[in-house]
Amino acid sequence: MSELDELAAYRLMLTIRYFEEKVEALFAQGLVHGTAHAAIGQEAVAVGACLAMRPGRDCVTSTHRGHGHALACGADANRIMAELFGKAAGYSGGRGGSQLMTDPALGYWGSNGITGGGIPVATGAALSFKMRRQRRVALCFFGDGASNQGVFHESLNMAALWKLPAVYICENNRYAMSMPVEKAMTVSGVAARAAAYGMPGETADGNDAAAVYRAVSAAIARARRGDGPALIECMTYRLSGHSRGDPRVYRTREEEAEWRRRDPIRRWRARLRRENRLSADEDRRLRGEARACVRAAVAFARRSPEPDPATLEEGVFA
Amino acid sequence: MRILSGCEALREGLRDALRRDKTVFLLGEDIGAYGGAFGVTRGLLAEFGPDRVRDTPISEAGFTGMAIGAALAGSRPVVEIMFMDFILLAFDQLANMAAKARYVFGAPWTCPLVIRTPAGGGRGYGPTHSQSLEALFARVPGLKVVAPSTPADAKTLLDAAIRDPNPVLFVEHKLLYSLRGPAPARTPSRREPLGKARVVRRGRDVTLVAWSWMTELARRAARELAATGIEAEVIDVRTLAPLDEETIQASVRKTGRLTIVEEGCRTGGFAAEIGFRVFEHAFDSLDGPLRRVTCPDVPISAAPALEHAALPSVRAIVQAAAALVRE
């Protein structure tokens, strides 16, 4: 297993954080309309998992909370932001919005507006990879809430049955919108469900990019060897609201403060600084670069043209 | 051309595709050793093996969604949904993922997926094994909907559906499986495009538009009408989406009268869509009101007496068309 590039991970996590904070601000200012789901607090899962992929070969399906996954795969912040602005230069030309964009060259197979919708898609990609002996692996992000969907059960059952090269990564952020995990399932966690399919299930600290990277890398290696799928439950917390306008009445400010102390980026930075692998100057530079990237993305999106209504009926069929 | 049953013609179509293209594979419930609930895939497991003729657990949403993923990854899956009624379990996958992928995500994404499914009544299977739900799917942008009425079309349109880069719902009427008719030994080199209707019978007095098994009933009705001196033109729509409006309108311009036959329920049915499009584009050619013969807005009962009362009949078509001509 190769080592995680800790500074690259840091830079990506910062980019996701600043990107999502900017998106929330843009919504508040009324500059972006529609809906978007910020992944503030969950950056370590996206970065730890996506850096374990083999670029250009493996693929990953995402969720409704997908900006971070896309950025972690190396997607262009300009085009993500342009999509949020509903501009022609966006990843889906403005047709998808926050929840529906892909970058096929990077193996980023797209976020999904239907909770759990990506699970069978990733599983089917894994089936195709295996049948065509391509030695590729399909990763699949989903939340604790999606694990209560029927397609979760159906897909994991078939993946295990046919030993498909799939890695299921549950981002357990404690709430399915407002529904706490313990009110939605009786078992202790999503990883426990893996036993029902005869596949390995593991819990990882989702606020530690290195722990996620280790767990996902091992599962990818296993899948690539032909030993079948695995389920990794990454314990994390959505520090932001579910989407804009979420009053967060379903959880306490004390609980949020407790998780804020475990902020994955703050922890990462503190450790790198403590272990003398990140100087104050370097930290300033990386933060500056991440902020500049987000600033540039907003500028790009704002100056991009709107999609042409004359194209409305184009491309329904290939 | 040889005489084959619809079932045999479909099996040949699948076999040809599996031989021609290594990325084609079949998946569905009991399609392997069992040969499919209606025997369409019988014998294919022996030739192509369990990887490409893949029996699935009872998980319609799951394996339909997986077929979408496999199609996006470059395979060409052909799914069998054992009864069309069960496709509702996979409606989300088809409407929200398969149908939208190309439009939203753009090139280079394609979703070359075929969903085959037996539809329709007439066999006493009752309310959840007899429905004709194609109208639900024909109004989902991004899905093609094909519903052949003859063994020849079953084979050639299945070939076209499998070659198509888009998701295609391929509706196989249960009574088509045992209907015998000529079918090409080899798929013609000049391929049948999806989206072309077929004039089954020429006539000057009234146009009967139908698809799937209703085409067969319309053909029989036209024979009876001819005996009373009414010459009906019968048009087999063949693909509901995309719809060949031109062929329908050309016929209505000639006959001035239109009766549409649909096995599915009346409200929001596809007959209504065809009728309204004729209204929009060929109103001036109409010599009378539009008529439709459909199932009333009721579930299909298991009892033969009730099922027959619900489904369109040759007699009902004859009456509707004759009334139009005599008005």
Side-chain angles (χ1 to χ4, degrees):
Chain A
M1 190 191 305
S2 56
E3 286 292 306
L4 174 62
D5 181 337
E6 292 178 318
L7 289 181
Y10 182 51
R11 183 210 304 256
L12 279 172
M13 287 195 288
L14 286 172
T15 306
I16 297 169
R17 173 68 54 94
Y18 296 151
F19 188 95
E20 298 288 54
E21 285 174 350
K22 178 53 87 177
V23 169
E24 293 207 319
L26 289 166
F27 268 106
Q29 293 163 35
L31 290 171
V32 176
H33 69 278
T35 188
H37 304 85
I40 295 170
Q42 303 181 197
E43 298 87 350
V45 185
V47 170
C50 293
L51 287 183
M53 290 168 64
R54 191 175 290 179
R57 288 191 63 73
D58 297 338
C59 77
V60 61
T61 62
S62 173
T63 68
H64 56 291
R65 201 177 302 287
H67 313 158
H69 301 147
L71 290 166
C73 284
D76 181 353
N78 290 3
R79 293 185 66 196
I80 302 174
M81 194 63 90
E83 188 63 32
L84 295 174
F85 272 79
K87 297 298 185 69
Y91 265 113
S92 302
R95 291 179 171 189
S98 164
Q99 301 185 80
L100 291 165
M101 46 187 122
T102 65
D103 190 328
L106 298 172
Y108 182 65
W109 273 40
S111 31
N112 199 301
I114 306 298
T115 303
I119 301 175
V121 172
T123 310
L127 174 62
S128 179
F129 295 163
K130 177 168 179 156
M131 288 182 71
R132 301 170 76 190
R133 298 188 176 79
Q134 292 176 319
R135 291 180 55 79
R136 299 164 71 186
V137 177
L139 277 67
C140 176
F141 286 115
F142 58 96
D144 46 283
S147 77
N148 296 316
Q149 290 275 32
V151 288
F152 169 83
H153 167 69
E154 296 181 17
S155 302
L156 270 70
N157 182 49
M158 284 184 273
L161 196 61
W162 298 331
K163 284 197 161 188
L164 301 184
V167 177
Y168 299 96
I169 303 160
C170 177
E171 297 181 287
N172 183 341
N173 66 8
R174 307 275 309 114
Y175 295 91
M177 197 159 150
S178 70
M179 170 70 102
V181 173
E182 55 276 10
K183 285 191 179 172
M185 60 180 81
T186 55
V187 289
S188 60
V190 177
R193 292 181 161 171
Y197 312 110
M199 76 168 72
E202 188 184 339
T203 304
D205 180 350
N207 281 17
D208 179 358
V212 174
Y213 179 82
R214 274 194 305 275
V216 173
S217 295
I220 288 176
R222 186 173 177 281
R224 214 184 302 281
R225 278 199 309 272
D227 291 339
L231 169 60
I232 298 162
E233 180 181 20
C234 301
M235 309 307 290
T236 184
Y237 195 81
R238 160 169 56 71
L239 292 172
S240 45
H242 165 73
S243 60
R244 73 193 179 106
D246 174 2
R248 305 183 341 271
V249 292
Y250 47 86
R251 64 189 196 191
T252 64
R253 300 297 84 87
E254 291 73 29
E255 180 185 286
E256 292 177 355
E258 169 59 29
W259 278 94
R260 204 159 269 122
R261 276 192 288 279
R262 293 183 238 168
D263 182 318
I265 299 177
R266 215 194 299 176
R267 271 172 55 178
W268 194 257
R269 175 190 306 125
R271 187 173 60 80
L272 292 183
R273 296 281 286 123
R274 201 168 54 240
E275 294 172 0
N276 285 325
R277 277 179 289 162
L278 177 71
S279 68
D281 280 351
E282 181 78 344
D283 187 21
R284 242 192 321 276
R285 187 179 65 79
L286 288 172
R287 291 204 215 195
E289 282 175 8
R291 285 201 191 281
C293 166
V294 173
R295 252 197 321 273
V298 174
F300 174 84
R302 294 189 80 160
R303 70 170 180 266
S304 296
E306 308 270 343
D308 181 357
T311 62
L312 179 70
E313 295 187 42
E314 290 173 5
V316 175
F317 290 109
Chain B
M1 282 203 266
R2 304 139 319 138
I3 301 297
L4 293 184
S5 70
C7 182
E8 290 163 341
L10 288 163
R11 188 183 305 134
E12 280 196 355
L14 292 173
R15 181 181 293 133
D16 288 354
L18 285 159
R19 282 181 183 164
R20 170 174 59 78
D21 184 346
K22 291 273 177 263
T23 66
V24 172
F25 72 100
L26 315 185
L27 74 168
E29 293 154 5
D30 306 293
I31 63 169
Y34 194 94
F38 291 89
V40 174
T41 56
R42 197 168 292 151
L44 298 182
L45 174 69
E47 182 173 349
F48 301 102
D51 253 21
R52 296 182 71 203
V53 182
R54 187 174 287 264
D55 271 326
T56 65
I58 301 172
S59 302
E60 284 85 359
F63 65 72
T64 300
M66 286 175 63
I68 295 166
L72 294 170
S75 291
R76 288 184 177 265
V78 180
V79 172
E80 178 172 306
I81 300 277
M82 190 185 283
F83 283 84
M84 188 178 214
D85 314 73
F86 309 167
I87 205 172
L88 297 180
L89 290 156
F91 201 177
D92 164 59
Q93 309 299 323
L94 293 171
N96 281 321
M97 192 69 206
K100 292 178 175 53
R102 174 68 179 203
Y103 182 79
V104 176
F105 298 146
W109 293 104
T110 59
C111 190
L113 164 73
V114 176
I115 308 284
R116 296 177 38 244
T117 190
R123 309 250 312 207
Y125 291 148
T128 57
H129 288 66
S130 303
Q131 295 171 87
S132 296
L133 301 170
E134 59 272 15
L136 293 181
F137 293 86
R139 71 186 308 285
V140 176
L143 291 183
K144 293 191 176 181
V145 179
V146 182
S149 70
T150 65
D153 274 354
K155 185 170 176 182
T156 52
L157 294 178
L158 180 60
D159 176 71
I162 294 172
R163 291 177 194 266
D164 200 281
N166 299 288
V168 180
L169 175 64
F170 195 86
V171 183
E172 302 170 0
H173 199 283
K174 297 176 193 99
L175 301 179
L176 168 65
Y177 290 137
S178 53
L179 181 75
R180 298 184 68 78
R186 241 175 285 149
T187 312
S189 53
R190 195 166 62 84
R191 273 175 231 140
E192 203 67 56
L194 298 180
K196 288 297 289 177
R198 182 170 64 92
V199 180
V200 175
R201 182 188 194 282
R202 299 268 172 205
R204 59 173 189 274
D205 298 323
V206 58
T207 300
L208 300 178
V209 169
W211 58 93
S212 190
W213 184 251
M214 295 301 103
T215 306
E216 180 59 23
L217 295 195
R219 211 173 53 80
R220 292 177 193 177
R223 265 208 309 265
E224 291 193 15
L225 286 163
T228 69
I230 296 172
E231 291 302 328
E233 179 144 303
V234 178
I235 293 177
D236 183 356
V237 170
R238 303 204 293 181
T239 64
L240 281 69
L243 178 66
D244 178 0
E245 289 185 63
E246 274 175 35
T247 300
I248 296 169
Q249 282 162 22
S251 178
V252 171
R253 289 204 178 90
K254 185 171 68 174
T255 63
R257 301 182 185 92
L258 175 62
T259 296
I260 310 155
V261 192
E262 174 169 21
E263 183 168 335
C265 293
R266 176 163 292 242
T267 300
F270 203 70
E273 181 62 33
I274 291 174
F276 200 86
R277 291 204 199 188
V278 167
F279 245 128
E280 284 177 313
H281 303 294
F283 178 75
D284 293 344
S285 312
L286 289 171
D287 294 334
L290 304 179
R291 295 277 179 230
R292 57 181 159 166
V293 180
T294 72
C295 180
D297 290 332
V298 295
I300 310 287
S301 295
L306 293 173
E307 184 178 38
H308 290 153
L311 298 177
S313 64
V314 172
R315 202 171 142 200
I317 301 168
V318 168
Q319 280 173 352
L324 255 189
V325 174
R326 296 202 181 104
E327 252 166 33

